[in-house]
């Protein structure tokens, strides 16, 4: 109750500005986030609470929250509430970097959840694969978290012929990237990036709304002349970005 009372008092100070009410509310909520008053992952007052405390319509409050969510400052978890989004994290586009290293270099805690680890036939693969990957492949799905917030969904197909012990690894304590790099140093790779909407299952695993746009990076890596793996990396648009550089 103290939180919503304080918010009401602060909003009174904004009413003198010649802006639509939803923009005033956006300005107030943005200030609370950027100033650190609300930290990443913290819930904000509900739309009902703000409607009663601020004297604004539900439509006005919904618009402010919807736009801040689209801008990446907030995220919604269906049936739970609206939360302050983590600051967008940058992941390498042109390099093959270990996501655990990227997260720890920011001073954050990396955790991974293994949701699938199996052997399948190549014809069962979730996307058309390079034939050189072999007729049977290992299939894994991991969710990588930054301070407990899902940042990346990693779905990987691995050449079972040259990496026979892949399924025996504990990927809650290491990552496929590290293990495969130690077994077969990467000599080249290709990748493509596209904007996609997550499936219902992917949205649930990433703890995002199914309407939230995501970035999908599909990468194939070789060690010498051997295809080692293909991986699809899915990033919630509100939580991450891909960046890289090229040239001399």
């Amino acid at each position: 109750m103290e939180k919503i009372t304080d918010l009401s008092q602060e909003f009174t100070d904004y009413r003198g500005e010649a802006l639509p009410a939803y923009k005033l509310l956006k300005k107030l909520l943005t200030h609370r986030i950027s100033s650190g008053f609300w930290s990443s992952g913290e819930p904000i007052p509900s739309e009902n609470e703000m409607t009663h405390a601020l004297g604004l319509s539900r439509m006005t409050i919904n618009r402010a929250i919807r736009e801040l969510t689209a801008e990446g400052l907030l995220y919604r978890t269906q049936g739970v509430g609206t939360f302050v989004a983590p600051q967008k994290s940058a992941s390498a586009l042109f390099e093959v970097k270990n996501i655990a290293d990227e997260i720890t270099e920011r001073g954050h805690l990396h955790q991974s959840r293994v949701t699938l680890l199996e052997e399948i036939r190549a014809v069962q693969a979730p996307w058309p694969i390079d034939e050189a990957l072999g007729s049977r492949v290992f299939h894994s799905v991991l969710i990588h978290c930054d301070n407990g917030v899902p940042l990346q969904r990693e779905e990987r197909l691995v050449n079972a012929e040259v990496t026979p012990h892949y399924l025996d690894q504990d990927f809650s304590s290491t990552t496929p990237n590290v293990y495969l790099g130690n077994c077969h140093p990467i000599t080249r790779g290709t990748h493509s990036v596209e904007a996609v909407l997550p499936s219902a299952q992917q949205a649930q695993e990433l703890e995002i709304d199914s309407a939230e746009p995501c970035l999908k990076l599909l990468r194939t890596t070789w060690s010498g002349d051997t295809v080692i793996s293909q991986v699809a990396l899915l990033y919630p648009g509100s939580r991450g970005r891909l960046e890289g550089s090229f040239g001399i």
Side-chain angles (χ1 to χ4, degrees):
M1 182 60 69
E2 182 179 354
K3 178 187 292 186
I4 194 65
T5 301
D6 291 344
L7 190 69
S8 176
Q9 292 171 347
E10 286 187 46
F11 187 68
T12 301
D13 298 333
Y14 284 81
R15 286 186 179 275
E17 300 185 34
L19 289 172
Y22 81 92
K23 288 191 175 182
L24 295 178
L25 181 56
K26 281 184 64 178
K27 188 173 180 180
L28 171 56
L29 298 181
T30 299
H31 173 71
R32 284 209 157 193
I33 295 169
S34 61
S35 68
F37 185 88
W38 288 340
S39 56
S40 296
E42 184 176 352
I44 70 169
S46 69
E47 292 186 16
N48 280 335
E49 288 177 318
M50 286 193 276
T51 297
H52 294 304
L54 305 181
L56 299 175
S57 70
R58 182 72 176 268
M59 184 180 299
T60 295
I61 292 171
N62 180 269
R63 179 173 180 179
I65 291 176
R66 188 173 69 249
E67 291 192 6
L68 289 175
T69 300
E71 292 167 15
L73 291 179
L74 299 173
Y75 71 92
R76 287 172 159 172
T77 300
Q78 191 170 5
V80 179
T82 304
F83 302 82
V84 178
Q87 192 171 27
K88 283 195 175 184
S89 305
S91 294
L93 175 58
F94 298 114
E95 300 175 74
V96 180
K97 294 190 69 175
N98 181 30
I99 188 168
D101 292 339
E102 293 182 355
I103 291 173
T104 55
E105 285 170 5
R106 295 193 287 268
H108 294 181
L109 175 66
H110 168 262
Q111 295 172 307
S112 60
R113 299 197 296 263
V114 181
T115 65
L116 185 65
L117 199 57
E118 64 178 359
E119 179 178 334
I120 61 174
R121 300 193 310 276
V123 294
Q124 298 173 294
W127 60 80
I129 66 173
D130 190 311
E131 291 183 0
L133 206 57
S135 59
R136 66 184 186 94
V137 295
F138 295 137
H139 181 209
S140 61
V141 177
L142 281 75
I143 307 301
H144 295 282
C145 299
D146 181 335
N147 281 350
V149 178
L151 180 63
Q152 180 199 87
R153 180 183 189 271
E154 172 190 333
E155 183 166 14
R156 187 180 293 269
L157 299 171
V158 176
N159 187 323
E161 187 67 30
V162 300
T163 316
H165 302 296
Y166 184 79
L167 297 183
D168 299 328
Q169 307 310 304
D170 178 9
F171 290 126
S172 64
S173 60
T174 187
T175 64
N177 179 283
V178 169
Y179 175 70
L180 293 173
N182 289 336
C183 294
H184 310 287
I186 295 172
T187 55
R188 65 187 178 99
T190 62
H191 60 242
S192 62
V193 180
E194 61 179 324
V196 299
L197 290 176
S199 68
Q201 180 180 343
Q202 291 168 346
Q204 183 178 10
E205 292 171 335
L206 290 168
E207 299 175 13
I208 59 175
D209 190 276
S210 58
E212 176 169 343
C214 294
L215 289 175
K216 178 182 177 181
L217 186 152
L218 183 63
R219 174 181 285 144
T220 303
T221 54
W222 283 259
S223 184
D225 294 328
T226 304
V227 178
I228 301 301
S229 79
Q230 289 190 316
V231 60
L233 305 175
L234 195 66
Y235 300 84
S238 63
R239 300 179 193 168
R241 69 178 187 272
L242 299 175
E243 62 180 27
S245 59
F246 59 90
I248 300 174

